Amino acid sequence: MGTTAPNDQALLESKNLQTPARGRSPGDSEWQHRTYPDNGSSTLPVNVPPFHGKLQGSPISSRLDFSSFINSMDDLAFAYFSLIREFASRTLQGNALQYGGLYLAMVSQKAEDEYNSRCSVIEFSDQGSRSRSFTGYDDFKNYVDTSWLTGSTRCLFILEDLPMRYVCILGSRMRIHPSVFACHYSTEDSSTMSDNVSYLPSILEPSTSEGLDYASDDGSKYEEEKRRITLRYPVTMPRGSAKQHPDPSICPPWLKPSTRFMDQSAYPKFLVERCLDTPSIHDQWDATGEVFQLDGQVTYWSTTRDNQRWTSTLLVDPSLKDPAHLAMIAGETGFNLTREVRYPELEDRGNAYITPNPIQWHPTAAFTKYILHDDILTHFSVADSGPGGSPLAVTPFVRDLVISKWIAHLNHIRRCFAHTRAALFSNGDFHGGDNEDKAILHTSRFGADWQEWMFESLTRWTTDLVFYRLDAETNMRALGIDVDDLHSHGLVGRRETQMWRYICSSCQDLQGMFESLTNSYTQVVALREAQASNVQASNVRWLTILGTLFVPVNVVAGVMSMGGEYLPGEDKFWMFFAVLVPVIVVVGTILLLLMKGTLLFRSIQKLYRRNFHDSSTSSDWEKNCKLA
């Protein structure tokens, strides 16, 4: 057995594995050893200075396989890119789809994709704050490698979309785990490959420093600040100007050509993967088709450095580049937002008074409510105080915005319910005039006819509200709120916890309302079909009577068809009519008497019911008079 090569020996030492002993017998098993790190954790401490030496070996050995755009990264950033590729190659792990999707999106990026993304930083101090938006990758890299290492004590990075080189710089310099970017890349609903595997629905930290499970009270679970939060939310916006198309020459430039969704959904042209619902308008009562709905997601990550220094990162989604949408954000008229989308205000509810100086009377900063990157910069540009020593203090505005998105979407669902319910009463004739048969069919307008879009809308909202509630509960767990414990407030406080519980309960209430309306609609339609079948059977009755009249004709014709003197033109042919006419008269009289008897019975029954109803009504009236 030959000796181990130097490179193999170095690789074994880097993995903290001890080389097995030489000269063992063929039947002996092989021992593998691990030496625990000195600090008791397999993760490097945060205050370890970053590596600036030249990397060698597998992380950077495959640069020839990629384009010049990817190879423009330095060795440390390229090593982080290789780490993402390594995670993506592990097909059996639960998050392989997220890693695989992120890696494919990164490796296919070009310079123009990075140009459409943005990155900004906000530095906080005791006296105030300052912010800047980077002009490009070189500007951003220079800031991180110089000013960030030795400069501000507290800073917040805001990254719009997931440009590859920015991701690798943040990940390699701040040692962010690739799962943060992989989970932000796609949601469960937007995956083009398969449904992503959800995380374990737990709010508990794994264990304490002594290895024991945390207690059930919220305070002990957050002795250290939570370093990672991902919140999902729906973006409800007015209807856009165009839809997705599989032909790239016809598809709008702000959407991705795709054959997966043809009419109801599309994919925006983002680096992250988000699903855009683009329903069609089927009727004047179809409120669902008046808006577009975009999946949204924001991810927070932070690390505490030393001496009250901390760094936070917010990964936010870009806005849809639809011209109609951009015109609405720019403030152009023509959009009845109050009617279609109602967003709660994001102003500070604690301001109960205005300043005594009239010169300072002005509204707070206006937010787009659709471009999260700009709204965060606007919020901190007018803030009266900074986040202090806690990095989690940069999230209240984002959390309020997420709740605002949920409330606006619930308002839209309520409007869809009201319009759908009104549509059930909007069609059909009332009472049907003098025709008694038609009056039986349309004594009420509810569910007068069957509409495919109406049933589709009712069924879709019923099922979607289940997933909305699950997403809201996922956000609650991400914020440390125990869904089953009404006294648990996590790390956000009682007021915000009540908002999240209100969202979950509203989803359940709306789901029950849609289910009841769906059941009523299907039952009424089935009843109307049964009534229509009865009317059709009543019309068929005349065909039966007509057939009965022709029975004697058939009998007489059969008897007279024996031939001889009874044939047409012979001497006794007149006997055919002599027998036929009396038989028809007798049968017709019997049928007429039966029909008259039936009509007489119905008239007596109707008169009796009317008299009984009048007497019961008068007796009730007399009783009410006596009570009065």
Side-chain angles (χ1 to χ4, degrees), residues 5 24 39 233 378 391 547:
R24 59 182 176 86
N39 58 359
Y233 58 90
T378 302

Side-chain angles (χ1 to χ4, degrees), residues 124-419:
F124 302 98
S125 64
D126 296 336
Q127 293 74 27
S129 64
R130 64 175 185 174
S131 62
R132 60 176 292 190
S133 296
F134 300 106
T135 58
Y137 168 75
D138 294 332
D139 185 23
F140 170 70
K141 180 177 180 299
N142 180 66
Y143 172 84
V144 173
D145 290 340
T146 56
S147 302
W148 176 73
L149 291 176
T150 59
S152 174
T153 58
R154 301 181 292 270
C155 65
L156 168 65
F157 288 95
I158 309 170
L159 181 62
E160 186 181 67
D161 221 337
L162 287 180
M164 179 200 59
R165 298 195 297 179
Y166 286 78
V167 168
C168 293
I169 287 293
L170 288 174
S172 60
R173 268 57 170 182
M174 303 174 190
R175 292 189 288 280
I176 303 175
H177 196 276
S179 61
V180 176
F181 300 105
C183 294
H184 180 76
Y185 168 73
S186 65
T187 61
E188 295 181 13
D189 296 333
S190 66
S191 175
T192 56
M193 296 169 289
S194 179
D195 291 334
N196 293 332
V197 179
S198 301
Y199 285 99
L200 296 176
S202 174
I203 63 172
L204 297 177
E205 298 293 335
S207 61
T208 62
S209 57
E210 290 80 14
L212 302 177
D213 291 338
Y214 280 116
S216 59
D217 57 297
D218 292 343
S220 61
K221 291 186 293 187
Y222 303 103
E223 296 177 354
E224 296 183 358
E225 293 289 355
K226 192 173 180 67
R227 297 179 56 185
R228 173 179 170 180
I229 299 174
T230 299
L231 300 177
R232 304 173 185 172
Y233 58 90
V235 183
T236 309
M237 64 188 72
R239 187 176 179 84
S241 59
K243 288 190 173 184
Q244 172 262 347
H245 196 276
D247 188 356
S249 60
I250 302 178
C251 186
W254 56 90
L255 298 176
K256 296 179 181 178
S258 175
T259 57
R260 185 185 183 201
F261 297 128
M262 293 299 296
D263 179 66
Q264 297 293 328
S265 300
Y267 285 108
K269 203 169 186 178
F270 300 160
L271 300 180
V272 293
E273 192 175 61
R274 299 291 182 263
C275 184
L276 177 68
D277 288 342
T278 57
S280 300
I281 300 178
H282 300 90
D283 190 84
Q284 60 178 348
W285 297 102
D286 188 9
T288 306
E290 293 181 353
V291 302
F292 281 2
Q293 178 190 339
L294 177 65
D295 291 338
Q297 192 164 267
V298 57
T299 299
Y300 160 83
W301 179 91
S302 69
T303 179
T304 303
R305 300 164 76 181
D306 54 355
N307 298 327
Q308 296 296 320
R309 296 202 310 168
W310 51 260
T311 299
S312 297
T313 300
L314 284 174
L315 307 179
V316 300
D317 292 344
S319 63
L320 189 66
K321 302 302 188 296
D322 189 290
H325 189 202
L326 296 178
M328 177 203 63
I329 296 176
E332 296 184 10
T333 59
F335 296 93
N336 192 351
L337 295 183
T338 304
R339 179 174 177 269
E340 295 177 353
V341 183
R342 287 165 283 181
Y343 276 96
E345 291 297 328
L346 299 177
E347 297 180 356
D348 188 3
R349 302 173 184 84
N351 293 334
Y353 304 97
I354 58 176
T355 178
N357 188 358
I359 300 179
Q360 299 178 357
W361 289 356
H362 59 85
T364 56
F367 302 102
T368 68
K369 300 179 183 178
Y370 293 97
I371 308 177
L372 187 54
H373 177 274
D374 296 350
D375 288 343
I376 295 174
L377 292 177
T378 302
H379 166 73
F380 285 109
S381 66
V382 297
D384 296 329
S385 60
S390 173
L392 198 62
V394 302
T395 62
F397 172 77
V398 177
R399 302 199 311 263
D400 286 348
L401 183 63
V402 170
I403 292 179
S404 176
K405 298 285 188 182
W406 276 103
I407 298 298
H409 193 58
L410 291 177
N411 291 336
H412 168 65
I413 297 176
R414 290 190 184 94
R415 183 170 179 268
C416 293
F417 176 82
H419 277 225

Side-chain angles (χ1 to χ4, degrees), residues 31-79:
W31 289 91
Q32 293 184 347
H33 301 267
R34 172 175 173 80
T35 303
Y36 293 119
D38 296 336
N39 58 359
S41 174
S42 59
T43 305
L44 291 177
V46 180
N47 56 2
V48 173
F51 179 80
H52 293 286
K54 186 176 181 180
L55 296 176
Q56 297 180 356
S58 59
I60 61 172
S61 60
S62 58
R63 282 186 177 269
L64 297 178
D65 299 336
F66 301 100
S67 63
S68 58
F69 176 72
I70 297 178
N71 287 327
S72 61
M73 296 185 294
D74 58 14
D75 288 348
L76 194 60
F78 189 85

Side-chain angles (χ1 to χ4, degrees), residues 95-137:
N95 295 330
L97 293 175
Q98 287 97 322
Y99 287 118
L102 175 64
Y103 174 73
L104 292 178
M106 294 178 66
V107 76
S108 61
Q109 288 184 24
K110 300 179 181 179
E112 53 268 23
D113 298 326
E114 183 182 281
Y115 177 78
N116 295 326
S117 304
R118 293 183 296 174
C119 184
S120 301
V121 64
I122 305 175
E123 297 179 350
F124 302 98
S125 64
D126 296 336
Q127 293 74 27
S129 64
R130 64 175 185 174
S131 62
R132 60 176 292 190
S133 296
F134 300 106
T135 58
Y137 168 75

Side-chain angles (χ1 to χ4, degrees), residues 533-547:
S533 299
N534 294 335
V535 173
Q536 185 178 5
S538 177
N539 296 331
V540 173
R541 177 185 60 181
W542 295 104
L543 296 178
T544 304
I545 295 174
L546 186 61

